[in-house]
Amino acid sequence: MKFSKLALPLLGLSAGAAAASTLNVTLQVSSKSSAIDGDFLTSSHEGAGLNYVFLNSDVGETFTYDPSTTQFAAALATFPYVLQVYADILTASVLGDDDQFTIIDGTTLAINGSSSGFYACKNTNDPYQYSTTQYQAMYYADSTPDDCIPFTISYVTSGSTAASNGTASNATATSSVATVPSTSASSVATFTGAANALQAGSAVAVGVVGAMLAMLA
């Protein structure tokens, strides 16, 4: 089979374009409770391929957001950790994405068309007991748990913030660089760099192979 002299180089360009279509974002909480309003979401290791999501008042983990799939992924090493709900727990895990999330009101995360159902809870008996001191992000579709605080989630990019007092921001994403408080930048868990590097590297590799095949054709 004779390969087109343009096919594989263009394939490389397509892969690069796909990588560029994602945004780096943080996820910010809006709540009527001042205890958590304005907090950011971060994930912590709780098992093999499994992170639980917690609220943090200072910094937010950086996720890559793909508008075409409304998928939020945090890449640890070579494994994509995707934001998803399992057994009422908001996780960043490799368990497989079930496409639960949609985006409403511009930047607000929703499940089954609704932004409600997210709760901040303590003492959830998580494996490493982080919830004894931190609020853990949970999702309850049909019940309201005792001693938990409801909230909504908005994704935040540079130049926009989630509105306070329980109203999610409608701001349009203006940049692919996430907003991070400068005083806490050193402690931000940024997992997207490795993923973007892998994507870019794949695009370059495919383009090079295409060029070599074109020369031999």
Side-chain angles (χ1 to χ4, degrees), residues 42 56 58-61 180-191:
T42 62
N56 189 307
D58 297 320
V59 296
E61 179 175 326
V180 176
S182 59
T183 56
S184 304
S186 61
S187 59
V188 174
T190 303
F191 301 128

Short mmCIF file of all heavy atoms in Angstrom, two decimals, residues 42 56 58-61 180-191:
data_model
loop_
_atom_site.label_atom_id
_atom_site.label_comp_id
_atom_site.label_asym_id
_atom_site.label_seq_id
_atom_site.Cartn_x
_atom_site.Cartn_y
_atom_site.Cartn_z
N THR A 42 -9.47 19.72 45.17
CA THR A 42 -8.22 19.01 44.97
C THR A 42 -8.48 17.52 45.22
O THR A 42 -9.46 17.16 45.86
CB THR A 42 -7.11 19.48 45.93
OG1 THR A 42 -7.53 19.21 47.29
CG2 THR A 42 -6.84 20.97 45.79
N ASN A 56 -10.46 22.74 49.31
CA ASN A 56 -9.27 23.42 49.81
C ASN A 56 -9.48 24.92 49.67
O ASN A 56 -9.81 25.40 48.58
CB ASN A 56 -8.04 22.97 49.00
CG ASN A 56 -6.73 23.46 49.59
OD1 ASN A 56 -6.56 24.64 49.82
ND2 ASN A 56 -5.80 22.54 49.79
N ASP A 58 -7.25 27.30 49.85
CA ASP A 58 -6.09 28.06 49.37
C ASP A 58 -5.76 27.83 47.90
O ASP A 58 -5.47 28.78 47.17
CB ASP A 58 -4.86 27.73 50.21
CG ASP A 58 -5.03 28.12 51.66
OD1 ASP A 58 -5.60 29.20 51.91
OD2 ASP A 58 -4.60 27.35 52.54
N VAL A 59 -5.74 26.59 47.48
CA VAL A 59 -5.27 26.28 46.12
C VAL A 59 -6.21 25.28 45.45
O VAL A 59 -6.96 24.57 46.11
CB VAL A 59 -3.84 25.69 46.12
CG1 VAL A 59 -2.84 26.70 46.65
CG2 VAL A 59 -3.79 24.40 46.95
N GLY A 60 -6.15 25.24 44.13
CA GLY A 60 -6.95 24.28 43.39
C GLY A 60 -6.09 23.43 42.48
O GLY A 60 -5.15 23.93 41.86
N GLU A 61 -6.43 22.17 42.39
CA GLU A 61 -5.75 21.28 41.47
C GLU A 61 -6.08 21.69 40.03
O GLU A 61 -7.19 22.11 39.73
CB GLU A 61 -6.22 19.84 41.72
CG GLU A 61 -5.62 18.81 40.81
CD GLU A 61 -6.05 17.40 41.22
OE1 GLU A 61 -6.22 17.16 42.44
OE2 GLU A 61 -6.19 16.56 40.35
N VAL A 180 -4.44 30.69 39.66
CA VAL A 180 -3.91 30.11 40.89
C VAL A 180 -3.42 31.24 41.77
O VAL A 180 -2.72 32.14 41.30
CB VAL A 180 -2.74 29.15 40.59
CG1 VAL A 180 -2.14 28.64 41.89
CG2 VAL A 180 -3.20 27.99 39.74
N PRO A 181 -3.80 31.27 43.04
CA PRO A 181 -3.29 32.33 43.93
C PRO A 181 -1.76 32.34 43.94
O PRO A 181 -1.13 31.31 44.16
CB PRO A 181 -3.85 31.92 45.30
CG PRO A 181 -5.04 31.08 44.99
CD PRO A 181 -4.71 30.36 43.72
N SER A 182 -1.16 33.51 43.68
CA SER A 182 0.29 33.58 43.54
C SER A 182 1.02 33.20 44.82
O SER A 182 2.12 32.67 44.78
CB SER A 182 0.69 35.00 43.11
OG SER A 182 0.25 35.94 44.08
N THR A 183 0.42 33.44 45.97
CA THR A 183 1.09 33.15 47.23
C THR A 183 1.18 31.66 47.50
O THR A 183 1.93 31.23 48.36
CB THR A 183 0.36 33.82 48.40
OG1 THR A 183 -1.01 33.39 48.41
CG2 THR A 183 0.42 35.33 48.27
N SER A 184 0.37 30.87 46.78
CA SER A 184 0.35 29.43 47.04
C SER A 184 0.74 28.62 45.82
O SER A 184 0.52 27.43 45.77
CB SER A 184 -1.06 29.00 47.48
OG SER A 184 -1.48 29.73 48.60
N ALA A 185 1.32 29.28 44.83
CA ALA A 185 1.60 28.60 43.57
C ALA A 185 2.49 27.38 43.74
O ALA A 185 2.35 26.39 43.03
CB ALA A 185 2.25 29.58 42.58
N SER A 186 3.42 27.42 44.69
CA SER A 186 4.36 26.32 44.85
C SER A 186 3.69 25.05 45.33
O SER A 186 4.22 23.95 45.14
CB SER A 186 5.46 26.71 45.84
OG SER A 186 4.90 27.01 47.11
N SER A 187 2.52 25.17 45.96
CA SER A 187 1.86 23.99 46.51
C SER A 187 0.72 23.49 45.64
O SER A 187 0.02 22.57 46.02
CB SER A 187 1.33 24.30 47.91
OG SER A 187 0.42 25.36 47.87
N VAL A 188 0.50 24.10 44.46
CA VAL A 188 -0.59 23.67 43.60
C VAL A 188 -0.27 22.32 42.98
O VAL A 188 0.82 22.11 42.46
CB VAL A 188 -0.84 24.71 42.49
CG1 VAL A 188 -1.88 24.18 41.51
CG2 VAL A 188 -1.29 26.02 43.08
N ALA A 189 -1.23 21.40 43.04
CA ALA A 189 -1.04 20.08 42.43
C ALA A 189 -1.40 20.19 40.97
O ALA A 189 -2.55 20.14 40.60
CB ALA A 189 -1.93 19.06 43.13
N THR A 190 -0.41 20.39 40.09
CA THR A 190 -0.65 20.57 38.67
C THR A 190 -0.27 19.29 37.95
O THR A 190 0.91 18.95 37.89
CB THR A 190 0.18 21.75 38.11
OG1 THR A 190 -0.15 22.92 38.85
CG2 THR A 190 -0.10 21.95 36.63
N PHE A 191 -1.27 18.63 37.40
CA PHE A 191 -1.04 17.34 36.78
C PHE A 191 -1.15 17.39 35.26
O PHE A 191 -1.02 16.39 34.60
CB PHE A 191 -2.07 16.33 37.30
CG PHE A 191 -2.03 16.15 38.78
CD1 PHE A 191 -3.17 16.26 39.56
CD2 PHE A 191 -0.83 15.86 39.42
CE1 PHE A 191 -3.13 16.08 40.93
CE2 PHE A 191 -0.79 15.69 40.79
CZ PHE A 191 -1.93 15.80 41.54
#
